[in-house]
Amino acid sequence: MNGPDARVVLPGPGRARLWQQRVTPGSARSYASLLSHEERLRGAAMTDAARARFSVARGLLRGMLGRGLGLRPDQVPLRVTCTRCGAADHGPVRLALPGVDLALSLAHSDELAAVTVAHGEHGVGVDVESGTAAGDLRTLARRVFAPAEHDRWQTLPAARARPAVLAAWACGEAYAKATGLGLGTALAGVGARLDDDGRLVVAGPRELDGWSVRTVPVRLPGYAAAVATRREVHLHVGDFGRADTERAGGGQALSGHTAAHRT
């Protein structure tokens, strides 16, 4: 590390932090330098686009954790284990460091990667979605909205319909990651609907058994992002600016802001 000015304050009880990073050839090269040997080998087997997204998401996570823990990013002990089959090549990422209790979640889609960290007793989930990667939006809308809400969604102009369905999908994915629920159950649980002004509303903490799902503004057009945390958790945006990420070997991270239960 590069001294105390390079440190990150990792979240304590009742806190979570979010970082977003644009995926570009430059940021992918920079963040790849922070990966472990095993991650580089895994990335080498991917397509160029998939490797870029993987490198930025994992590198951003490693850079932030390394600076917070005082470790070299490539030596941060991350483990991946599928909660369903037990395989070590896919599934949620966790920090395997005795005495440090942090919950991690990361996501990427096309040109955007996002990382969230919360105190381990809380759990956290993040998701980002892009219109080009999401597939047919009408098909997605039928999955995220109940029939009556789907009919309302179809009346929206395209400029409002696209972000509404992407945000609803991101909310379901984030909730699924935080809770371990299957995606279908999570999508039904968030209860995505449209208010009188056509804005997305999701279920509140009471209906979600104490979980809070919120949308997060994205500084790239055509994307949606959401974070799921426990109700009492305050989500903070990390100040992962250009100078800090250049010290850590990455590009400039994008800061988002927390939002209420509608977008």
Side-chain angles (χ1 to χ4, degrees):
M1 305 305 293
N2 297 300
D5 62 328
R7 293 297 295 270
V8 163
V9 178
L10 296 175
R15 302 285 175 174
R17 301 191 73 175
L18 165 72
W19 290 265
Q20 298 179 62
Q21 171 64 53
R22 187 168 188 174
V23 178
T24 66
S27 67
R29 288 191 298 270
S30 295
Y31 279 109
S33 68
L34 308 185
L35 301 183
S36 67
H37 176 68
E38 292 76 12
E39 287 169 333
R40 295 182 193 184
L41 291 178
R42 181 179 172 186
M46 300 177 182
T47 64
D48 290 346
R51 182 169 58 253
R53 293 190 294 268
F54 175 80
S55 297
V56 172
R58 286 292 185 90
L60 177 59
L61 179 62
R62 284 186 170 278
M64 180 272 298
L65 289 175
R67 291 166 57 218
L69 297 169
L71 299 173
R72 274 180 42 181
D74 63 341
Q75 294 183 350
V76 173
L78 297 179
R79 301 290 183 269
V80 177
T81 305
C82 178
T83 56
R84 299 183 183 274
C85 69
D89 61 349
H90 63 278
V93 179
R94 62 183 178 87
L95 178 66
L97 191 62
V100 181
D101 192 14
L102 294 173
L104 316 174
S105 184
L106 64 164
H108 52 71
S109 182
D110 281 350
E111 296 184 10
L112 182 66
V115 167
T116 54
V117 177
H119 195 264
E121 67 179 344
H122 299 304
V124 70
V126 65
D127 188 60
V128 296
E129 298 292 337
S130 73
T132 56
D136 179 51
L137 293 183
R138 292 185 180 276
T139 300
L140 292 184
R142 284 192 290 269
R143 291 196 64 185
V144 300
F145 294 119
E149 294 298 328
H150 180 262
D151 291 343
R152 293 191 63 197
W153 175 80
Q154 289 183 302
T155 67
L156 295 178
R160 298 175 66 186
R162 176 180 293 268
V165 72
L166 289 180
W169 186 265
C171 286
E173 288 271 14
Y175 183 47
K177 291 181 181 180
T179 61
L181 294 172
L183 179 57
T185 302
L187 287 170
V190 297
R193 62 182 181 85
L194 300 170
D195 68 10
D196 292 339
D197 296 319
R199 294 178 296 186
L200 177 71
V201 180
V202 299
R206 180 174 300 177
E207 294 82 7
L208 294 176
D209 194 26
W211 289 93
S212 177
V213 181
R214 68 202 83 180
T215 57
V216 181
V218 178
R219 293 187 181 179
L220 293 178
Y223 286 77
V227 175
T229 66
R230 297 302 298 182
R231 172 176 51 193
E232 67 273 16
V233 171
H234 171 73
L235 179 63
H236 176 74
V237 176
D239 299 321
F240 209 50
R242 180 181 299 275
D244 290 339
T245 49
E246 287 179 347
R247 278 199 297 268
Q252 183 178 10
L254 306 173
S255 294
H257 299 281
T258 59
H261 293 287
R262 68 182 187 179
T263 183

